[in-house]
Amino acid sequence: MNVLIINAGSSSLKYQLFDMESEQIVAKGLAERIGIDGHLKHTPVTNGKPVFEANQPMPTHSEAIAAVLDKLTSAEYGVVSSLTEIGAVGHRVLHGGQKFSKSVLIDDAVIAAVEECIPLGPLHNPANLMGIRACQAAMPGVPQIAVFDTAFHQTMPEFAYTYAIPYKYYEKYNIRRYGFHGTSHRYVSAEAIRLLGNKPNSRVITCHCGNGASIAAVKDGKCVDTSMGLTPLEGVPMGTRSGSIDPAIIEFVANLEGLTRQEVFEVLNKKSGILGVSGVSSDFRDVEAAANDSENPLSHRAQLALDVFRYNVAKYIGSYMVTLGGADAIVFTAGLGENSPELRQSVADWLSGFGVRIDSEKNKLRGKLVDITGEGSTVKVFIIPTNEELVIARDTKAIVEG
Ligand code: ADP
């Protein structure tokens, strides 16, 4: 069976077509600038056909989906001869609120529930719904599956997801910790448990460190705590997000700078984190380069931004050792987690008092699954490349096949 994976954003739509017999990607691409001028890049992966890339009008997600399906089936760039060769579509959906603890077949009730979660995911859920509706219209009768970023974290105990604010806000508005990157935490924690020889009652701490970053505590395969909260703003600092701060800062800055709440919120989401502290960039590669360049006037701030990030990752791991009563494995994943030896070394150094050691030679490896545990370490340390799309494709196939 071929399964199409869709990750729809407000002005973009990423896709991958999987052959589920081999679990290989046969084509992938990105439709961008939807609602602006429209741009499509389509890459056939396995059959040697050429890459297609051009501007083409895409006023809405419907035209974007139409363009994608056209390329997937075209004689020149296609990988299937007709749409009947696509057995199902899996959609990444950001927020499933408290309704979804696993992936589901999309029907009218599911769409209504995703709509109800729009206040919790105001930027992403409407875009995800546009992707779903466009596919339903273009591929009637083809099963559509929703895979939620929040679902894996629904096993958190009440005391971990409850904020210490008046309880009526939870009762009236469902304000609680939800957590994100769930598909990634689920995939890499399952891989870690496999590497641990399927140890019973395993205690795994997963660090998804990309542009967005979150840490999760996973006990016996189930999430028991995670660093992101009601929204992806909470937790460790990120490329442009502040992560956790004293909430009083919001009013303080609003008053001093004459900003509205909305403007302060924008600052915390888009101008903070690594970008805000370093003044260099939100991209960790740029910040690492600036920190290593003593001629750069922002070198100190770049190093400070990295130190703040690394220290906070280590602090969360330490706190999750409390949550789990220790740890059998720590996992690094996503852009930075898979590629930055400096991040992993620094975090291991902070945790040396807990018996964490990494092998400095193996730690130089990037972007592949590897055990970097050092001699005498009481905790295993793994780099595990994440594969959220594969999880979405597997869930989609499993649901379609019942
Ligand atoms: P997202 O999916 O959240 O956009 P990614 O998981 O792709 O993010 O991670 C992007 C981040 O990973 C960027 O900040 C980038 O600088 C960092 N990154 C990617 N490759 C490297 C590398 N070789 N060294 C250091 N950081 C890297």
Side-chain angles (χ1 to χ4, degrees):
M1 181 201 292
N2 291 313
V3 168
L4 180 62
I5 302 306
I6 299 287
N7 184 357
S10 54
S11 69
S12 71
L13 189 148
K14 280 190 218 145
Y15 64 96
Q16 298 185 346
L17 187 70
F18 277 86
D19 167 4
M20 293 311 291
E21 310 318 316
S22 61
E23 294 196 332
Q24 294 296 309
I25 296 169
V26 290
K28 61 181 179 179
L30 173 64
E32 281 181 291
R33 302 177 61 83
I34 301 170
I36 309 168
D37 47 1
H39 182 89
L40 178 67
K41 181 170 182 185
H42 165 80
T43 308
V45 177
T46 47
N47 65 3
K49 289 194 179 166
V51 172
F52 171 89
E53 184 165 11
N55 288 343
Q56 63 183 90
M58 294 175 195
T60 71
H61 286 67
S62 297
E63 289 81 10
I65 286 288
V68 168
L69 297 179
D70 178 60
K71 285 294 163 289
L72 285 169
T73 52
S74 92
E76 200 175 350
Y77 305 101
V79 289
V80 291
S81 50
S82 85
L83 286 184
T84 56
E85 290 179 37
I86 300 178
V89 185
H91 295 267
R92 181 177 186 177
V93 181
L94 180 83
H95 220 304
Q98 299 194 104
K99 292 221 161 61
F100 299 105
S101 55
K102 53 183 193 269
S103 306
V104 290
L105 181 68
I106 297 172
D107 58 16
D108 290 346
V110 169
I111 292 197
V114 174
E115 272 172 347
E116 270 176 43
C117 293
I118 287 177
L120 297 169
L123 298 178
H124 293 82
N125 275 33
N128 301 151
L129 283 165
M130 284 191 277
I132 291 169
R133 291 199 169 105
C135 283
Q136 284 180 323
M139 308 168 79
V142 176
Q144 315 270 328
I145 276 73
V147 180
F148 299 92
D149 251 33
T150 48
F152 180 61
H153 303 303
Q154 278 295 305
T155 46
M156 277 187 284
E158 200 177 10
F159 58 78
Y161 70 68
T162 300
Y163 289 118
I165 57 174
Y167 195 69
K168 66 180 177 190
Y169 298 142
Y170 171 65
E171 293 175 311
K172 282 167 79 176
Y173 310 119
N174 296 322
I175 293 179
R176 50 159 284 181
R177 175 181 312 287
Y178 289 97
F180 299 88
H181 294 142
T183 313
S184 175
H185 289 294
R186 181 177 138 206
Y187 175 76
V188 299
S189 61
E191 284 290 283
I193 293 167
R194 185 177 63 75
L195 294 172
L196 291 169
N198 294 316
K199 181 178 189 287
N201 301 313
S202 56
R203 300 159 303 172
V204 175
I205 299 170
T206 47
C207 308
H208 179 108
C209 300
N211 211 356
S214 67
I215 321 292
V218 182
K219 191 166 198 167
D220 208 13
K222 292 198 168 59
C223 177
V224 289
D225 206 350
T226 191
S227 60
M228 283 178 165
L230 174 75
T231 75
L233 188 54
E234 194 185 348
V236 293
M238 312 175 206
T240 62
R241 296 189 194 121
S242 63
S244 297
I245 58 165
D246 180 346
I249 292 171
I250 297 172
E251 206 204 348
F252 214 76
V253 170
N255 288 340
L256 291 171
E257 295 263 315
L259 300 177
T260 63
R261 266 179 323 190
Q262 186 59 34
E263 285 166 337
V264 178
F265 185 65
E266 285 275 311
V267 169
L268 296 178
N269 265 300
K270 302 204 170 128
K271 296 186 180 156
S272 298
I274 299 307
L275 170 68
V277 176
S278 71
V280 174
S281 168
S282 64
D283 191 300
F284 280 87
R285 280 167 292 202
D286 300 341
V287 181
E288 286 182 358
N292 292 330
D293 174 8
S294 55
E295 305 285 296
N296 188 322
L298 292 172
S299 173
H300 169 75
R301 278 175 53 187
Q303 186 59 50
L304 178 62
L306 296 171
D307 290 344
V308 170
F309 178 75
R310 294 166 184 173
Y311 171 62
N312 272 279
V313 171
K315 216 161 72 158
Y316 266 97
I317 296 173
S319 68
Y320 289 162
M321 287 180 169
V322 174
T323 303
L324 297 170
D328 297 306
I330 296 168
V331 179
F332 289 97
T333 193
L336 186 71
E338 292 166 29
N339 290 296
S340 175
E342 294 84 0
L343 165 72
R344 297 186 295 254
Q345 187 63 59
S346 168
V347 169
D349 290 345
W350 276 113
L351 295 166
S352 63
F354 296 90
V356 177
R357 307 271 183 280
I358 60 173
D359 182 305
S360 52
E361 278 308 306
K362 289 185 187 149
N363 186 38
K364 288 180 186 157
L365 295 168
R366 290 167 188 266
K368 55 170 105 159
L369 192 152
V370 53
D371 180 344
I372 58 169
T373 311
E375 214 183 310
S377 183
T378 54
V379 181
K380 291 272 186 196
V381 186
F382 302 128
I383 305 171
I384 303 179
T386 195
N387 199 339
E388 291 158 282
E389 293 77 13
L390 181 61
V391 178
I392 298 173
R394 284 178 178 167
D395 276 12
T396 301
K397 177 173 184 269
I399 289 174
V400 170
E401 292 180 347

